[in-house]
Every structure is written in structure tokens, then in C-alpha cells.
Amino acid sequence: MAACLSIFLLFFHLLMSLIFTSSHRLCIDLREPFTPNTPLTFCSHYNGTGCCDAVKDLQLHKQFNAMHISDPVCASLMKSILCAACDPFSAELFKVESLSETQAVPVLCNTTKSGKQLWST
């Protein structure tokens, strides 16, 4: 009987430690992720529960096009970075703690534009 109690307590302790160490899903604007009404076209990887609606998806697409990236590898990388804003854990990815902070992204590859702020939180 003591062995069963010990196993139960060990299992309970492990379960409780998982609950208190898991990340909470939050968007960059510190809201809960949602399922968009219309499918995303640019950041289509996040068509399930995420942080972008069709308007934000279009805004990210315009930002991407404004960079004029000619290298396909770099373009793919930048698209992934921009679309990370749609990730349901984006607040954790970008270490957002308040809405007053501004995040800048350095120039990662050759573009025809200089490095500039991609979004503010």
C-alpha cells in the first residue's frame, strides 16, 4: 500500500510541475489566440488557432513585399520571421511584457531597403 501511495504522490508531483512550467498562449497584443473567420493567404501555416486575421495577414504580406528581397532563401526566412507574429505563442517568442515596448529587427540579409522597425507591440 505504501508503494502505491509513493507512486501516486510521485505522479501527482510530476503532473503539477508540468502545469506550472508550461507556457501560456498569448499573442503579441497580449490577447488570447483565435481562429480567423477567413483563411490566411500569406501566413497560411497559421490557419488554425493563431494571432492573425485576414487584415493582419495582408499587412504582413505588404511589409514583406516592401522589403524587395530577391534571394529565395532569404525571402523564405523573412516570411517565417514575419509570420511568427501569427504564432499562438508569439508573446513568448518575442518576449513581450507590455504593450509600450517597440521591437526592432536587424537586417538579416541583403535587401534594397535599410533595416527598419517591422512592428511595434
Side-chain angles (χ1 to χ4, degrees):
M1 185 67 178
C4 285
L5 182 59
S6 295
I7 292 172
F8 173 76
L9 289 175
L10 178 65
F11 177 74
F12 181 75
H13 177 68
L14 289 173
L15 180 65
M16 293 308 289
S17 66
L18 286 175
I19 290 171
F20 292 119
T21 60
S22 63
S23 296
H24 295 287
R25 295 165 28 144
L26 280 177
C27 300
I28 290 175
D29 59 4
L30 299 177
R31 289 192 227 161
E32 186 177 338
F34 57 91
T35 303
N37 294 331
T38 57
L40 305 179
T41 55
F42 182 64
C43 299
S44 58
H45 181 72
Y46 296 103
N47 267 328
T49 301
C51 296
C52 293
D53 57 10
V55 173
K56 180 69 174 177
D57 186 60
L58 181 61
Q59 178 188 19
L60 292 172
H61 196 183
K62 287 179 180 179
Q63 282 181 317
F64 176 78
N65 287 337
M67 292 181 205
H68 302 289
I69 302 171
S70 58
D71 180 29
V73 174
C74 183
S76 176
L77 175 66
M78 284 308 299
K79 180 180 177 182
S80 295
I81 292 170
L82 286 172
C83 288
C86 299
D87 190 281
F89 292 94
S90 57
E92 186 70 22
L93 286 172
F94 294 102
K95 302 290 184 201
V96 175
E97 295 178 11
S98 73
L99 294 176
S100 62
E101 296 178 26
T102 299
Q103 301 268 334
V105 176
V107 176
L108 298 175
C109 42
N110 294 331
T111 67
T112 59
K113 301 284 183 182
S114 63
K116 62 189 231 181
Q117 178 182 320
L118 293 179
W119 60 78
S120 74
T121 55

